[in-house]
Amino acid sequence: MPYFNFQGKKIFYSVKGEGPLLIILPGNTATSAAHENELTYFSDRYCTVSLDFLGTGKSDRIKQWNSDWWEDSSHQVAALVEHLNYKEAVLLGISGGAIIAIAVAINHPDYVKAVVADSFSLHFTEEMYKNNVLKERANITEQQQTFWSSMHGSDWQDVVHADTEMIEMVVKEGGFCINGRPENIKCPVLLTYSEKDSFLPNVKEIAAGLGKRISNCEVRIFLHGDHPLIWTNSREFFQTVDEFLLKL
């Protein structure tokens, strides 16, 4: 299995295809294992890669997920680009992975050719934390348990707990997921959302606000789907992404 080293720890990644580099960034509590279909879909045009961020999946565990977890994960992505001997990559981030994609574009702009960011906000509100994260994880279904076990293995409960505590810290510190300013992003960015996203309140406001802050940005909000769009309205999502990628 392929790994690379980051600050003395091992990070797992999956690879399919050849060509320019496209990296799929999983959302919180998901891993590269959740993106086999996406890896296959893009592999006829790209060297398509996904990774398990530190603390998740097949990567090394960390003692505590601090409130800068998304920021730190952005540095892991940059290290992966270097490890693969590429100069730049297209980043496709989903939910929490989209937060990380935006952070990479801010923190490591030379490594990012373009960003597709799906179903996310850069501000994690108390409402989102209480009504979604806490509510979901207080009553874990058999389906959720099966998903998390397939992502992380036998210690999946520890991973989910660490993620929950990290989000709580972020909310208590003001809810801002990253330190950098989206205004500093120079590469093309595509933002995708479902109008009926059950996780994100005020989707249209979130999308419009980010669209104004990022200069080279396209925003697409779809009538159908939920959270994340990539899995709940995959047909329109992939059609839109393909059109965006063709323009690069």
Side-chain angles (χ1 to χ4, degrees):
M1 293 188 292
Y3 288 88
F4 70 98
N5 290 315
F6 177 80
Q7 297 180 355
K9 295 187 179 298
K10 293 194 305 180
I11 297 179
F12 173 82
Y13 64 97
S14 297
V15 184
K16 283 189 178 182
E18 297 179 352
L21 182 60
L22 185 149
I23 304 179
I24 298 170
L25 309 182
N28 287 52
T29 72
T31 67
S32 60
H35 292 292
E36 286 297 319
N37 288 338
E38 290 76 33
L39 285 164
T40 299
Y41 181 83
F42 291 107
S43 64
D44 63 338
R45 293 161 284 168
Y46 291 91
C47 173
T48 311
V49 181
S50 188
L51 74 162
D52 298 353
F53 295 109
L54 281 180
T56 73
K58 298 175 183 177
S59 294
D60 283 349
R61 298 296 184 255
I62 48 181
K63 290 183 179 180
Q64 181 177 343
W65 297 21
N66 295 318
S67 58
D68 64 349
W69 188 84
W70 286 299
E71 287 278 352
D72 188 69
S73 297
S74 77
H75 307 315
Q76 296 170 36
V77 176
L80 176 58
V81 176
E82 289 185 350
H83 170 77
L84 295 170
N85 293 317
Y86 277 84
K87 292 183 178 180
E88 61 180 8
V90 174
L91 305 181
L92 194 167
I94 300 92
S95 191
I99 297 171
I100 296 166
I102 294 294
V104 181
I106 296 169
N107 297 330
H108 304 279
D110 292 343
Y111 290 172
V112 184
K113 183 175 182 178
V115 168
V116 178
D118 177 44
S119 305
F120 77 108
S121 172
L122 293 180
H123 186 239
F124 216 107
T125 65
E126 188 171 358
E127 177 186 357
M128 291 162 60
Y129 176 64
K130 288 183 176 180
N131 294 347
N132 293 289
V133 177
L134 282 185
K135 186 176 181 180
E136 173 195 60
R137 298 176 189 184
N139 300 284
I140 296 174
T141 65
E142 184 176 346
Q143 183 180 11
Q144 289 169 319
Q145 180 175 335
T146 299
F147 175 78
W148 281 326
S149 177
S150 68
M151 294 295 103
H152 309 290
S154 60
D155 69 340
W156 67 267
Q157 289 174 300
D158 294 335
V159 176
V160 173
H161 179 70
D163 180 73
T164 304
E165 287 196 326
M166 182 275 289
I167 294 172
E168 182 180 13
M169 281 189 283
V170 170
V171 172
K172 286 182 177 179
E173 293 173 10
F176 297 101
C177 300
I178 60 175
N179 298 324
R181 292 171 53 81
E183 289 84 351
N184 294 331
I185 296 176
K186 303 301 182 187
C187 69
V189 176
L190 171 65
L191 307 179
T192 59
Y193 293 91
S194 168
E195 188 175 290
K196 299 175 183 177
D197 192 309
S198 59
F199 189 89
L200 299 174
N202 306 315
V203 166
K204 290 184 178 179
E205 292 180 19
I206 291 170
L210 280 169
K212 290 179 181 177
R213 298 181 69 185
I214 302 170
S215 60
N216 190 1
C217 184
E218 297 180 32
V219 180
R220 295 293 302 274
I221 302 176
F222 296 88
L223 295 176
H224 303 290
D226 199 329
H227 186 92
L229 182 73
I230 189 173
W231 289 337
T232 57
N233 187 354
S234 57
R235 182 184 63 82
E236 287 190 292
F237 175 83
F238 283 119
Q239 180 180 346
T240 302
V241 172
D242 287 342
E243 292 171 356
F244 173 75
L245 295 177
L246 282 172
K247 293 184 288 187
L248 298 180

